[in-house]
Amino acid sequence: MAKNEIISGKKELDINAVTTCDATAQMLRKARRDGVETAFDRAANMKACPIGKDSACCKHCFMGPCRLNAKDPYSKVGVCGATIDTIMARNFARAVCAGSAAHTDHGMGMLDLFRDVLNGKIKDYGIKNPQKCIEVAASIGIETEDREFYDVAMDLYHELERTYTQVDGEIPFAKRVPAKTLETWRKEGIVPRGAMREIMELMHRSTMGVDQHYENITKACSRAALADGWGGSMVATEISDILFGTPSPVAVEVNMGVLKEDQVNIIIHGHEPNLFESMVESVNEPTLVQAAKDAGAKGINLVGMCCSGLEMFVRHGVPHAGNFMSTEAVLVTGAVDAMGVDVQCIKQGLVKVADCYKTPLITTNPRCHIEGATHVEFHEHDPKGCTDEIVIQAIGRFKNRSMPIEIPQIVNTGVHGFSHEYINYMLGGSFRASYTPLNDNIINGRIRGVAGVVGCTNPRMKQDYVHVELVKELIKNDVLVVQTGCSQIALAKAGLTTPEAAHLAGPGLKEVCETVGMPPVLGVGACVDNSRILIAVTEMVKTGGLGDSIADLPVAGCAPEFMSEKAIAIGQYFVASGVYTVFGVTFPIVEGTKFHKHLFQELEERGMGKWGFAVDPHDIAAKMIAHIDKKRKALGIDKARERVLMDMADRRDMEAA
Ligand code: XCC
């Protein structure tokens, strides 16, 4: 077996200290025996740069790089005179730009596909959910009554294109924002115009010698991030639902035990559902199924990982093998016959691990080639040209499997796919679908508040540990948890995404879960589907009784093991939308600086949310619960009491007053 040069003299990995995922741990032990290195080994042997970690380094020009002292942040400035606040704000801005660009580009790809499906240029995809198309169009003021579907859909396309290309005005989904939240944005000057403009301008502002006031840079960060959350990400979610169907809850299998030794195993990893949708077609193609059988396989087993997997398991019941820090480990099973990837979170290290096990690693997106991987380009006008080829390569590898195979025999089943539409239906029933029961249960205290726990896993943290401990503590305290991204898979592996997990919840939340038959932890989708959480909190505001803006709600968010710039963009759009958002691992800002105070305190004073930071799951939970309680107190619902509904007489009295 080719080894990927695990270098002698390196620190040996303490496997039990780096992951709580038993399957990943088993594969890391095998990797050690096989002489294969993963990101866990590299993280253990590469100390994070202490200056970069604190964001005290500026390399936006070539008079530097300039290094400031995080311990004495105001003792020095850069060669140009840039202060620590300017340097940190610029670095933060670049992360927001990159993260927002990733999601908005993904959304734009979905929109391109939608247009070409409508105009008939692409025939391999269709519109699975025309009703949603009408609803989304109506939500942004497009006339839908007595009109042809095509006309409404085309109007929707043109309107949503403004999310990207508009140079002045407000992005279309600003119409969905609760009035008071939008008023705050307007007052602060942070309503996004168009994503291209905001991202371009923020890149400009954060270049040498332009914006050198951290407050002004933060405003531009909010605009770019909001162009992601209420723009590109929301477009990605809504258009994906229109094209591929809106998820509703389904029991799905998670963990590496979903691989089958006697089948051709294909993993799709990345973010965009168009590739994966076509894979579903290809693995069901009779000639390819027959080819797999002729090669001695019982069938073709299609499996997802990371966000691609999250998009698909709720729409097609495709099983999910694991989250970000398991993508190398899963190859160590020797059972993966091909891994197809598109964009985002694809570690370059996968190439060497795949090579060790003779697994074809196939890149498919023109944006993402990887040296040493095979590139088979995916085209939406001929999607199966690419996805059939992935299957063919996988069958070829299956036929010539020469590696010993070891599949961790662990499978967890969870219920996922709680779109905001389904939450509406689930709580209210088909006759009175609404968020009223949720709001009522928050007001009467059965549910203390709602927490979004989202985001990546990171080899600097014990994999899954913080996600799981944090969520356990939240639900024990009657906080309903909604989830996206790799965090959702951590909780699924821990068995908390089942209705039975209600017994782990506090008495109020348990009662609600048991009445409705829902888990205390609701998986709502991939990272772009954080937009579903934005819509859910908007519905909570609009339903009434919990204040006038998102900032009034007893809600909080967290990405406890984040690693991606996309998470910073997500965090900033939640903060700008009014949500207290706590990050773990590390925060690229020096404490005790003006920029730190701005993000962690002053934004809230201006009617938005604010950032928080803690590493330990119990500390994070304490911060989130304290914030939820603070909001309950401000709403006057800190003591459990029944909601008093206004009747007509009350209304008349109010109007007369
Ligand atoms: Fe990537 Fe989306 Fe993070 Fe997972 S949660 S590591 S961004 S796959 Ni999106």
Side-chain angles (χ1 to χ4, degrees), residues 11-22 24-26 28-29 32 38-41 43-44 325 457-466 561 615 617:
K11 225 203 272 171
E12 188 166 275
L13 194 64
D14 178 356
I15 292 171
N16 293 330
V18 298
T19 183
T20 57
C21 171
D22 291 336
T24 302
Q26 186 181 334
L28 291 180
R29 283 191 286 275
R32 179 178 292 161
T38 70
F40 286 107
D41 300 292
M325 280 314 295
T457 50
N458 182 324
R460 302 278 173 207
M461 306 299 292
K462 191 173 189 176
Q463 184 191 8
D464 299 341
Y465 168 75
V466 193
E561 299 182 28
V615 177

Side-chain angles (χ1 to χ4, degrees), residues 22-238:
D22 291 336
T24 302
Q26 186 181 334
M27 288 304 99
L28 291 180
R29 283 191 286 275
K30 180 170 184 291
R32 179 178 292 161
R33 293 196 301 276
D34 294 349
V36 169
E37 183 189 87
T38 70
F40 286 107
D41 300 292
R42 292 187 289 274
N45 284 284
M46 187 182 290
K47 201 168 170 288
C49 165
I51 301 162
K53 193 165 168 269
D54 289 326
S55 203
C57 170
C58 183
K59 55 185 182 68
H60 297 314
C61 82
F62 298 90
M63 295 189 284
C66 296
R67 297 156 50 149
L68 271 57
N69 182 358
K71 295 206 171 61
D72 191 3
Y74 292 104
S75 63
K76 273 207 269 183
V77 292
V79 172
C80 71
T83 63
I84 187 79
D85 295 302
T86 298
I87 289 171
M88 291 186 302
R90 277 180 189 155
N91 291 340
F92 189 79
R94 290 289 166 105
V96 169
C97 269
S100 299
H103 289 144
T104 51
D105 198 24
H106 170 168
M108 195 164 195
M110 292 302 112
L111 201 57
D112 287 342
L113 176 59
F114 179 56
R115 178 197 58 228
D116 286 350
V117 166
L118 287 176
N119 65 24
K121 283 196 189 147
I122 287 177
K123 301 197 187 317
D124 289 82
Y125 298 91
I127 306 284
K128 281 228 178 86
N129 191 349
Q131 182 56 32
K132 174 134 190 185
C133 183
I134 306 285
E135 285 164 11
V136 175
S139 79
I140 53 173
I142 294 170
E143 186 55 55
T144 58
E145 291 287 311
D146 301 322
R147 294 187 68 203
E148 292 291 328
F149 173 78
Y150 175 85
D151 295 337
V152 173
M154 255 321 190
D155 280 0
L156 178 62
Y157 166 76
H158 287 297
E159 192 62 13
L160 292 185
E161 199 187 52
R162 294 202 293 114
T163 303
Y164 300 93
T165 56
Q166 179 171 272
V167 293
D168 204 7
E170 297 180 348
I171 54 167
F173 283 139
K175 292 197 179 78
R176 292 174 154 189
V177 179
K180 194 169 161 210
T181 302
L182 187 59
E183 193 187 305
T184 303
W185 292 5
R186 285 179 180 151
K187 196 171 82 221
E188 289 293 315
I190 59 168
V191 189
R193 293 161 292 181
M196 289 172 169
R197 172 139 222 182
E198 299 305 350
I199 292 166
M200 177 176 68
E201 189 179 301
L202 188 51
M203 287 300 285
H204 178 196
R205 279 169 186 251
S206 55
T207 204
M208 191 270 150
V210 189
D211 206 346
Q212 287 154 105
H213 197 305
Y214 63 94
E215 285 188 28
N216 209 38
I217 297 172
T218 306
K219 277 189 185 180
C221 286
S222 294
R223 277 204 302 274
L226 291 169
D228 169 357
W230 295 85
S233 282
M234 200 170 277
V235 168
T237 298
E238 302 295 50

Side-chain angles (χ1 to χ4, degrees), residues 22 58 92 148 171 210 266 301 351 396 398 433-434 456 504 535 557 575 605 628:
D22 291 336
C58 183
F92 189 79
E148 292 291 328
I171 54 167
V210 189
I266 302 174
N301 184 33
V351 174
F398 178 90
S434 83
C456 326
L504 296 168
I535 298 295
V575 167
E605 291 161 6
I628 285 170

Side-chain angles (χ1 to χ4, degrees), residues 233-280:
S233 282
M234 200 170 277
V235 168
T237 298
E238 302 295 50
I239 296 296
S240 297
D241 282 358
I242 292 168
L243 289 169
F244 309 124
T246 303
S248 57
V250 57
V252 275
E253 291 186 333
V254 175
N255 219 324
M256 289 189 206
V258 300
L259 296 173
K260 307 257 188 311
E261 185 159 359
D262 54 4
Q263 296 200 25
V264 176
N265 293 301
I266 302 174
I267 290 183
I268 297 297
H269 158 34
H271 280 80
E272 298 189 345
N274 44 357
L275 171 75
F276 215 146
E277 287 283 339
S278 180
M279 279 307 304
V280 173

Side-chain angles (χ1 to χ4, degrees), residues 582-650:
V582 186
F583 268 37
V585 190
T586 183
F587 203 89
I589 307 277
V590 179
E591 263 195 82
T593 55
K594 289 184 271 184
F595 184 51
H596 187 279
K597 188 176 174 204
H598 190 57
L599 294 188
F600 282 65
Q601 180 184 325
E602 289 167 358
L603 294 182
E604 188 181 48
E605 291 161 6
R606 296 180 183 197
M608 290 170 266
K610 64 177 177 181
W611 284 89
F613 172 69
V615 177
D616 177 82
H618 308 292
D619 292 346
I620 299 173
K623 281 177 183 288
M624 294 170 81
I625 292 168
H627 179 81
I628 285 170
D629 287 349
K630 182 176 91 176
K631 293 293 172 183
R632 292 186 66 87
K633 193 161 186 214
L635 289 164
I637 56 167
D638 47 329
K639 308 219 169 28
R641 56 171 124 131
E642 288 301 321
R643 186 177 179 206
V644 183
L645 292 169
M646 261 202 278
D647 61 18
M648 286 310 287
D650 291 326

Side-chain angles (χ1 to χ4, degrees), residues 35 137 266 322 493 518 588:
I266 302 174
K493 289 187 288 180
M518 71 180 195

Side-chain angles (χ1 to χ4, degrees), residues 271 306-307 324 345 455-456 485-486 527 563-564 566:
H271 280 80
C306 290
C307 280
F324 175 69
C345 305
C456 326
C486 289
C527 286
M563 64 84 202
S564 170
K566 291 180 288 173

